[in-house]
Amino acid sequence: MAFRYQHNDSYDDKDGLSSSTFTFNNSSYRMNNKTNSFVAELNSHISPVLYNEARVSASFIRDNRDVPYQGPTVQISSVPGGDGTSMNTVNIGTEYSSAANYLNQDIWTVEDNLSWYLGNHNITFGTHNEFYKMKNLFIQAANGSWYYNSLDAFLADTPYKFTYKYTDPTLTGGDTQWAPSMKFGVLGFYAQDRWDITPLLNMTYGVRFDINDTFNNPTTNADFNTFAAEHNLGVEVGEMPSAKLLVSPRIGFNWYTDNSHRTLLRGGVGIFSGRAPYVWLSNAFGNNGVEAKGTTINTKNNTAPTLSQYAKNPMGAAETSSAGLSPDIVTVSKKFKFPQVLRANLALEQMLPGDIKMTLEGLYSKNMNNVFFENLAYTDKGDKVYAVPGVEASAVTSYSKIEKSLPYYSIINLRNTNKGYSYNLSVKAEKTFNFGLYLMASYIFGHSYSVNDGTSSVAYSNWKYNYSRNTNDQNEMSWSKFDIPHQVRVQVAYESPKYWNGWMSTEVALNYNGFSGGRYSLTMNEKSDFNNDGYRGNSLLYIPTKDELEKMQFTDTKKLTAAQSKQMFEEWIEGDDYAKNHRGEYAKRNSNLTPWENEIDLHVAQNVYNVKGIGKLQFTFDVYNFANMLNKHWGAHYGNAYNLSPLTLEKMSNGAGVYSFNTNSKPVANDTSSRWHAQVGLRLVF
């Protein structure tokens, strides 16, 4: 019998800075976490051939955000940088997602595994069950959020967009920041057999059954459900998907080719279920249009409600909308299944002369049930819009609202997709010396493709930041944001023998990680919504041929004439490795890579032992991005450069874009994350 308790009380300050975003201190926030975890475990030898492991655990997790003050949120785009060329986004006021944000989770887990040793078979029957009770307050723009196209527009107080979200006090007992409660569960049952066919060959095979279910539903929105039925949307608010059975068979093997055990061939294939994405499902509770209300006023001529008039009265600003309140709605398809992947791997481990261990491995994964986010508030009626007038290759769908006076700002629906796959090939060599030295070097090549990476916990963000030609097209597959084509790792580690009469030992490790940068998309900086899908900035860039460039319409700006913009765009195309080889096409999502990145981390540990052999005291010192500590020009890190917009869409004219060149046309290293960081630690090990 064993019992464990773990407590965590931590916080992390977030500033939201990036190479093209400046956030004032009052727009930062602190992420607080308190966790209490309890585990009880009972291991029983029932008989010489039966062994049982039973485990019950409970975790109580409390996450919340603190902000410096509660006030309006302001975002200003296209602000000139200090270098005179870059254009940046500036955030002022309370951080958009932090004014009303906490998540309370109570998670109970019950697990039991019965092992039956039957000759050369080790058979396991088990169950793993998780039960979640969650209360999630997440209201963006809770104090009102104002958006400006430029610094001049901010100074003139002419916002192009205003957003305000709240909960209806008449339905929540007077609370405008009400948090819904959700209950989820997953029941898992499995059987597995490890069969030692010979002393050199074993096989493991089994099957797992998972049932995911939602134990309560969002409040029914009868008005929306009638609206959805009238427009044949096939979705409704108030009912979550029914429980569905996921079956995951799998098989694997390990084979030593001879008794020397110097050559091992291993592999396997199977279906695997990932962790349930409850945070995405929770969006349906917090965006139901009943308790959760709000509106977004998006204008084409910078006439949204002004900050100066409504800074302290966002509800008054919301009520100026002629269309009335227009909340965001999130639905989940009734056919929705939790994520599953088909995965296969094959590896060769070989001991080379000099006791060097070499590993060659290939891994392939194929999505079976992944998540795709679509906006049902907009539909394709066959209209087109052109990046280049009259050039069909530059034509994309021009969306229309499903109803002219649409009572909802967005209708984000979660559904499944089986699109997407990944593969990688790796080689690794490692050697352990008998005097405490360990050396390792590896290289990994691979690619990952998807139609939506689901990088946000917010359904609407997963839709709007999925850069594409056609925002609702679930067949538009491209490189994943997590795609890393090349990666090199090297580790040198040394642990000294005990010295000072067995009281001391020292560990030193140097780790190198080099990889081919991060993926980012080429997009347009949209001052006008290019394809009328309801969001500016998610349209991929069309890369014109030289002849097509002459047909494109450019306009004068304060910094550049139309002719200068055209010339600089041509020079940018020819200077970009991807763009110059894909002229006459739309760029694919995540088409580009930031420069190669080099990370070197240093770890030093001093161990102090108890002479009676009971435990040790360990002092640690770590330097992350150690190379930058040695030279300020080394260790550049580009962070999450999601997109780059070399072209600004100033306006639409006769179904085609009118542009200017954006001098923010190269990825820039993140100043904060490129700096070295040091950490000291103390640990008592029993």
Side-chain angles (χ1 to χ4, degrees):
M1 180 85 177
F3 179 80
R4 296 192 302 273
Y5 168 72
Q6 182 175 347
H7 173 75
N8 176 71
D9 190 346
S10 61
Y11 66 84
D12 187 13
D13 290 330
K14 303 286 189 178
D15 56 24
L17 296 174
S18 72
S19 58
S20 60
T21 301
F22 181 81
T23 300
F24 280 83
N25 186 57
N26 278 352
S27 294
S28 61
Y29 63 92
R30 172 169 289 184
M31 177 68 78
N32 301 294
N33 171 267
K34 287 187 179 180
T35 300
N36 291 285
S37 297
F38 305 85
V39 180
E41 184 175 308
L42 177 63
N43 299 326
S44 306
H45 289 277
I46 301 172
S47 75
V49 296
L50 290 176
Y51 177 74
N52 194 78
E53 297 174 310
R55 187 178 300 110
V56 177
S57 67
S59 296
F60 304 98
I61 306 168
R62 301 295 181 262
D63 295 309
N64 71 283
R65 297 190 187 187
D66 287 336
V67 295
Y69 87 113
Q70 291 282 359
T73 299
V74 177
Q75 184 183 96
I76 311 169
S77 304
S78 302
V79 178
D83 57 5
T85 58
S86 64
M87 303 298 286
N88 304 282
T89 297
V90 174
N91 296 309
I92 304 173
T94 302
E95 200 274 332
Y96 179 71
S97 299
S98 301
N101 190 321
Y102 71 72
L103 174 61
N104 295 341
Q105 300 180 77
D106 297 342
I107 306 173
W108 293 84
T109 303
V110 179
E111 180 179 357
D112 189 81
N113 295 292
L114 176 65
S115 297
W116 182 19
Y117 304 102
L118 187 63
N120 59 351
H121 291 269
N122 181 356
I123 303 172
T124 299
F125 300 98
T127 180
H128 181 95
N129 310 284
E130 297 179 3
F131 305 94
Y132 296 79
K133 181 182 179 182
M134 305 165 65
K135 189 173 184 179
N136 187 15
L137 173 65
F138 185 76
I139 303 176
Q140 296 176 308
N143 297 317
S145 187
W146 283 260
Y147 299 83
Y148 298 86
N149 272 325
S150 67
L151 185 58
D152 288 341
F154 171 69
L155 295 175
D157 197 9
T158 55
Y160 74 85
K161 185 170 75 169
F162 165 79
T163 297
Y164 176 55
K165 299 181 183 181
Y166 65 100
T167 55
D168 190 338
T170 64
L171 301 175
T172 60
D175 192 353
T176 59
Q177 295 187 359
W178 168 84
S181 295
M182 297 148 285
K183 297 178 182 179
F184 304 102
V186 55
L187 306 179
F189 306 92
Y190 44 88
Q192 174 182 291
D193 178 25
R194 176 189 164 103
W195 179 20
D196 293 320
I197 302 172
T198 73
L200 301 177
L201 174 64
N202 68 66
M203 183 176 293
T204 302
Y205 49 92
V207 62
R208 182 182 179 105
F209 303 92
D210 289 295
I211 303 173
N212 294 276
D213 199 8
T214 306
F215 299 143
N216 66 327
N217 289 307
T219 303
T220 299
N221 188 332
D223 291 339
F224 172 80
N225 292 343
T226 300
F227 173 89
E230 291 173 348
H231 291 81
N232 298 314
L233 299 184
V235 298
E236 62 182 46
V237 169
E239 184 176 350
M240 299 297 286
S242 60
K244 294 180 176 63
L245 175 66
L246 300 180
V247 182
S248 303
R250 59 198 66 168
I251 185 171
F253 73 94
N254 287 274
W255 176 44
Y256 286 102
T257 58
D258 56 43
N259 290 323
S260 69
H261 282 206
R262 296 183 64 85
T263 304
L264 171 66
L265 188 65
R266 56 179 172 81
V269 62
I271 297 173
F272 297 86
S273 301
R275 293 195 64 84
Y278 293 126
V279 67
W280 289 336
L281 298 185
S282 71
N283 281 249
F285 289 79
N287 297 273
N288 59 9
V290 183
E291 294 93 353
K293 297 286 177 64
T295 193
T296 296
I297 301 173
N298 203 343
T299 69
K300 295 183 178 181
N301 51 1
N302 299 336
T303 56
T306 62
L307 176 65
S308 57
Q309 183 176 357
Y310 294 105
K312 296 182 179 181
N313 183 20
M315 178 60 79
E319 291 173 345
T320 65
S321 173
S322 59
L325 297 179
S326 54
D328 295 293
I329 298 291
V330 174
T331 60
V332 183
S333 169
K334 293 181 180 179
K335 297 180 180 180
F336 183 81
K337 293 183 179 181
F338 283 66
Q340 280 185 302
V341 296
L342 171 67
R343 182 168 293 146
N345 80 301
L346 184 64
L348 172 67
E349 297 181 9
Q350 178 68 51
M351 294 299 297
L352 302 176
D355 287 331
I356 298 172
K357 181 181 178 181
M358 180 193 71
T359 304
L360 301 174
E361 185 163 10
L363 177 67
Y364 175 81
S365 297
K366 174 71 174 67
N367 286 334
M368 295 179 62
N369 305 315
N370 207 346
V371 184
F372 183 75
F373 301 82
E374 58 186 351
N375 191 349
L376 302 181
Y378 292 82
T379 187
D380 180 1
K381 294 184 178 180
D383 297 325
K384 293 182 179 180
V385 63
Y386 293 81
V388 182
V391 176
E392 284 301 318
S394 75
V396 295
T397 295
S398 180
Y399 281 91
S400 301
K401 292 182 178 180
I402 58 175
E403 188 175 288
K404 187 174 182 180
S405 297
L406 188 63
Y408 308 102
Y409 184 68
S410 67
I411 305 170
I412 305 301
N413 183 50
L414 282 68
R415 59 181 296 183
N416 287 125
T417 176
N418 61 2
K419 304 292 182 182
Y421 64 95
S422 65
Y423 65 88
N424 64 61
L425 304 170
S426 65
V427 56
K428 180 172 71 172
E430 53 189 327
K431 179 175 173 61
T432 301
F433 296 84
N434 56 15
F435 57 87
L437 180 65
Y438 172 77
L439 302 176
M440 186 278 294
S442 68
Y443 168 72
I444 303 172
F445 168 78
H447 281 297
S448 178
Y449 301 91
S450 67
V451 293
N452 193 305
D453 287 322
T455 56
S456 174
S457 62
V458 182
Y460 182 67
S461 295
N462 282 322
W463 170 78
K464 73 179 182 179
Y465 292 132
N466 195 45
Y467 308 113
S468 56
R469 292 178 59 185
N470 185 334
T471 48
N472 280 341
D473 184 2
Q474 65 171 331
N475 295 313
E476 200 168 312
M477 188 166 64
S478 187
W479 293 281
S480 166
K481 176 65 182 172
F482 307 108
D483 178 70
I484 303 176
H486 304 280
Q487 188 170 23
V488 177
R489 293 179 177 175
V490 178
Q491 182 180 16
V492 179
Y494 173 74
E495 182 174 1
S496 73
K498 291 182 179 180
Y499 55 91
W500 278 10
N501 296 321
W503 279 84
M504 300 280 189
S505 74
T506 303
E507 302 172 24
V508 180
L510 205 61
N511 296 284
Y512 168 78
N513 181 26
F515 56 95
S516 48
R519 286 281 179 186
Y520 65 93
S521 300
L522 299 177
T523 61
M524 290 185 286
N525 178 24
E526 298 175 68
K527 289 186 177 180
S528 181
D529 189 351
F530 177 64
N531 61 353
N532 293 312
D533 66 353
Y535 186 74
R536 305 181 189 183
N538 58 352
S539 295
L540 290 169
L541 177 71
Y542 182 76
I543 308 166
T545 65
K546 289 181 180 292
D547 290 339
E548 291 170 350
L549 181 59
E550 294 303 315
K551 299 177 183 179
M552 291 181 69
Q553 304 174 65
F554 287 82
T555 187
D556 295 340
T557 65
K558 289 183 178 181
K559 297 176 62 176
L560 300 171
T561 65
Q564 288 174 325
S565 282
K566 181 181 291 188
Q567 179 60 33
M568 293 176 74
F569 186 40
E570 168 64 26
E571 292 171 357
W572 176 86
I573 293 173
E574 288 301 308
D576 185 271
D577 290 338
Y578 178 86
K580 69 181 180 182
N581 293 311
H582 292 83
R583 303 193 73 154
E585 305 173 11
Y586 274 93
K588 290 188 176 182
R589 183 173 55 256
N590 297 319
S591 60
N592 285 41
L593 287 163
T594 60
W596 182 275
E597 296 190 20
N598 299 290
E599 297 177 352
I600 299 177
D601 299 328
L602 173 67
H603 171 75
V604 179
Q606 183 64 42
N607 300 309
V608 181
Y609 296 92
N610 183 307
V611 290
K612 295 184 179 180
I614 304 174
K616 68 177 179 180
L617 186 65
Q618 186 179 70
F619 300 89
T620 61
F621 176 65
D622 294 273
V623 180
Y624 303 102
N625 203 5
F626 180 58
N628 182 256
M629 185 180 185
L630 303 178
N631 187 315
K632 66 180 181 180
H633 300 295
W634 295 348
H637 181 63
Y638 289 81
N640 288 324
Y642 281 93
N643 67 312
L644 189 71
S645 302
L647 210 58
T648 294
L649 176 66
E650 297 286 349
K651 61 181 180 180
M652 297 297 296
S653 177
N654 298 321
V658 179
Y659 309 96
S660 66
F661 184 71
N662 185 359
T663 51
N664 238 19
S665 55
K666 291 184 179 180
V668 179
N670 186 300
D671 179 69
T672 303
S673 59
S674 295
R675 302 185 184 192
W676 63 272
H677 299 77
Q679 174 180 288
V680 294
L682 174 64
R683 183 169 61 174
L684 182 61
V685 182
F686 294 99

